[in-house]
């Protein structure tokens, strides 16, 4: 692994070579049969398990360095691997192998009056650049998903997870080699120099077809400002749960606590609780008390604090904050319309949930909110490609073009039109 002091000329040469190798590998992968890709994925999963102790040792070194640098506990959680998480990484790769191969699948087909047969068929994107922070499991998730969808991938992880990611990548490369597929299909940038990110955002002289950023606000902002290739934007997860007057109280308590507290450091963790003002006398206090018992700090509006004085005051900025910690902002709203208005002001358009027994209110919520994932009577922690049956995800895309929500194998494909005729000519 090269350090961050690498000379600019060396970085440019390094990245150019990586791009050229990725482009060659992408051409090979585009023609690879499903059996070869699946064999590689199974071998990659085996290699992850076999290298488990090495990966954990490298991860411990990353964690120690992160603690010394004062990294927040929520980011330490994202960074941390253990035996169960290593097993989950391998299981995720096998789940991707079990998915249908998207490459060559016919999305739609029709016949024109002149006899032309037209098909819309899935094709790989080519080379995907993934820039991410903290989460070493993204190395495996992105590598597996890109391979399954016939794409080469260039991975640039954060310096905080460099050793963990490199160890995981070595296992992926071993699996590719065992299956006879090019090891350059999954490459990791061997440098922590930020210039490597800049080179990727410029597209590596046309080698990269799309960039997927997965990280905090500053990373995503840089990608959006500097990228010269298309971006599957993954913005921060300012996720909301709205508890309607028609909600079942026990369900509301369970959904809210799970949405916030199951894992506070993931992008699908709820950051704001909204409660229907009409149900404040019955719903609010039991939910807040359950959150407090679970160890959550509550920051609330003055109106909420009049009913629950132990809450901390919430500023307007709190409602625009992705805490990634055991903290939640709380406000009362006037029914579903008030909830929609609040969410549209403060949401990052990632994930929102409603708890209600009223199907009409749920339909209004779904129709009125423009976020990538909407849930009815379910925890926001289900905002995950694995939970959607995609095996894994590279991230949650919050934009509106092509890929939206969990980015899995289908979202990592494009398409072309295939037209078959019998000699037709156009007049």
């Amino acid at each position: 692994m090269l350090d961050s002091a690498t000379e600019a000329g060396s970085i440019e040469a390094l990245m150019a070579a990586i791009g050229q190798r990725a482009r060659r590998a992408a051409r090979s992968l585009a023609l690879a049969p499903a059996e070869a890709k699946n064999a590689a994925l199974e071998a990659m999963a085996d290699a992850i398990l076999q290298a488990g102790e090495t990966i954990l040792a490298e991860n411990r070194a990353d964690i120690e360095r992160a603690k010394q640098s004062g990294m927040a506990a929520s980011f330490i959680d994202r960074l941390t691997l253990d035996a169960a998480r290593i097993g989950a990484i391998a299981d995720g790769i096998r789940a991707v192998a079990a998915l249908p191969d998207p490459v060559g699948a016919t999305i739609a087909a029709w016949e024109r009056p002149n006899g032309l047969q037209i098909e819309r068929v899935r094709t790989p994107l080519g080379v995907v650049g993934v820039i991410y922070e903290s989460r070493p499991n993204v190395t495996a998730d992105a590598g597996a998903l890109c391979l399954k969808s016939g794409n080469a991938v260039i991975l640039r992880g954060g310096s905080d997870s460099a050793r963990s990611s490199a160890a995981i990548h070595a296992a992926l490369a071993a699996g590719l080699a065992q299956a006879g597929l090019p090891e350059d299909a999954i490459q990791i940038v061997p440098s922590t120099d930020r210039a490597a990110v800049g080179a990727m955002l410029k597209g590596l002289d046309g080698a990269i077809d799309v960039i997927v950023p997965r990280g905090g606000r500053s990373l995503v902002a840089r990608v959006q400002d500097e990228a010269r290739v298309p971006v599957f934007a993954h913005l921060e997860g300012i996720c909301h749960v709205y508890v309607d007057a028609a909600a079942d109280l026990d369900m509301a308590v369970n959904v809210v606590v799970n949405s916030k507290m199951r894992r506070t450091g993931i992008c699908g963790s709820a950051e704001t609780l909204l409660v229907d003002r009409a149900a404040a006398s019955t719903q609010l206090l039991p939910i807040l008390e359950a959150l407090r018992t679970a160890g959550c700090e509550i920051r609330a509006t003055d109106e909420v604090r009049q009913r629950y004085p132990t809450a901390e005051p919430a500023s307007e900025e709190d409602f625009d904050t992705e805490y990634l910690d055991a903290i939640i902002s709380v406000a009362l709203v006037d029914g579903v319309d008030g909830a929609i208005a609040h969410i549209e002001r403060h949401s990052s358009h990632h994930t929102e949930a409603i708890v209600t027994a009223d199907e009409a209110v749920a339909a209004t919520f779904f129709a009125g909110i423009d976020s990538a994932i909407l849930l009815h009577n379910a925890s926001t922690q289900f905002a995950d490609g694995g939970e959607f049956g995609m095996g894994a995800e590279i991230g949650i895309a919050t934009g509106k073009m092509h890929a939206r929500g969990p980015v899995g194998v289908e979202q990592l494909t494009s398409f072309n039109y295939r037209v078959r005729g019998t000699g037709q000519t156009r007049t």
Side-chain angles (χ1 to χ4, degrees):
M1 178 70 70
L2 302 177
D3 64 27
S4 58
T6 309
E7 293 183 1
S10 300
I11 284 291
E12 291 179 3
L14 169 70
M15 297 307 295
I18 288 174
Q20 291 168 6
R21 294 197 297 268
R23 181 55 66 186
R24 288 193 295 269
R27 288 195 290 269
S28 176
L29 283 186
L31 302 175
E35 294 78 13
K37 293 186 289 187
N38 290 341
L41 289 164
E42 292 290 347
M44 286 158 53
D46 290 341
I48 289 286
L49 295 177
Q50 291 165 7
E53 288 304 318
T54 299
I55 294 170
L56 290 177
E58 295 299 293
N59 184 245
R60 286 192 291 271
D62 282 336
I63 292 170
E64 181 59 31
R65 188 172 61 253
K67 288 179 178 178
Q68 291 175 0
S69 69
M71 182 179 286
S74 58
F75 285 92
I76 295 287
D77 177 64
R78 288 184 172 198
L79 173 61
T80 300
L81 297 175
D82 56 23
R85 290 186 181 181
I86 293 290
I89 289 173
D91 289 344
I93 295 173
R94 295 193 205 280
V96 172
L99 295 172
D101 191 339
V103 179
T106 300
I107 303 170
W110 62 96
E111 181 178 353
R112 297 292 295 145
N114 60 6
L116 290 177
Q117 303 283 340
I118 303 176
E119 295 178 322
R120 187 185 304 129
V121 178
R122 291 195 186 279
T123 59
L125 292 170
V127 177
V128 179
V130 183
I131 304 169
Y132 55 104
E133 300 172 336
S134 299
R135 294 177 180 272
N137 63 291
V138 174
T139 306
D141 290 348
L145 290 167
C146 287
L147 176 63
K148 182 75 176 193
S149 53
N151 299 295
V153 62
I154 300 172
L155 303 165
R156 202 286 188 178
S159 59
D160 48 5
S161 61
R163 296 182 64 159
S164 308
S165 295
I168 292 171
H169 173 259
L172 303 184
L176 286 168
Q178 182 177 329
L181 292 180
E183 292 183 46
D184 288 338
I186 303 174
Q187 297 183 76
I188 192 165
V189 177
S191 173
T192 59
D193 196 313
R194 287 172 60 85
V197 174
M200 291 177 68
L201 296 180
K202 292 177 183 177
L204 301 183
D205 294 325
I208 293 180
D209 294 286
V210 65
I211 289 284
V212 181
R214 184 164 180 176
R217 178 179 292 194
S218 61
L219 169 64
V220 175
R222 182 184 180 191
V223 170
Q224 292 181 321
D225 286 344
E226 298 182 21
R228 298 295 179 265
V229 293
V231 174
F232 290 169
H234 176 115
L235 297 181
E236 59 194 341
I238 303 177
C239 305
H240 298 74
V241 179
Y242 165 60
V243 177
D244 184 60
D248 175 84
L249 178 57
D250 288 341
M251 180 188 293
V253 169
N254 291 334
V255 168
V256 171
V257 172
N258 185 263
S259 293
K260 176 71 259 187
M261 298 301 292
R262 173 187 165 270
R263 286 189 68 186
T264 60
I266 67 172
C267 59
S269 175
E271 307 293 15
T272 296
L273 167 65
L274 303 174
V275 177
D276 190 343
R277 191 170 277 111
S281 61
T282 57
Q283 305 275 28
L284 182 65
L285 297 189
I287 296 173
L288 296 186
E289 191 60 23
L291 285 167
R292 186 196 64 78
T293 300
C296 186
E297 177 184 327
I298 297 165
R299 299 183 184 178
T301 61
D302 290 343
E303 183 182 14
V304 172
R305 293 182 68 239
Q306 289 174 6
R307 297 170 181 268
Y308 196 77
T310 58
E312 296 294 323
S315 66
E316 188 71 9
E317 182 181 356
D318 280 308
F319 291 100
D320 293 320
T321 298
E322 183 184 30
Y323 297 115
L324 298 174
D325 204 348
I327 306 169
I328 196 167
S329 303
V330 184
L332 298 179
V333 293
D334 289 323
V336 67
D337 291 333
I340 291 169
H342 180 104
I343 290 169
E344 283 302 298
R345 281 197 308 275
H346 299 284
S347 174
S348 60
H349 304 290
H350 188 294
T351 297
E352 329 296 349
I354 179 173
V355 183
T356 184
D358 190 323
E359 294 289 342
V361 169
T364 299
F365 186 85
F366 277 17
I369 292 180
D370 186 24
S371 293
I373 302 172
L374 302 173
L375 301 110
H376 177 202
N377 292 342
S379 169
T380 60
Q381 301 256 340
F382 284 109
D384 178 271
E387 295 297 324
F388 277 39
M390 296 178 176
E393 67 179 37
I394 285 182
I396 305 289
T398 54
K400 298 184 182 181
M401 301 300 290
H402 181 65
R404 197 174 197 209
V407 178
V409 292
E410 289 187 0
Q411 291 72 31
L412 291 171
T413 62
S414 183
F415 59 83
N416 60 21
Y417 289 95
R418 303 182 183 184
V419 184
R420 293 179 174 83
T422 54
Q424 289 92 331
T425 59
R426 184 172 178 178
T427 58

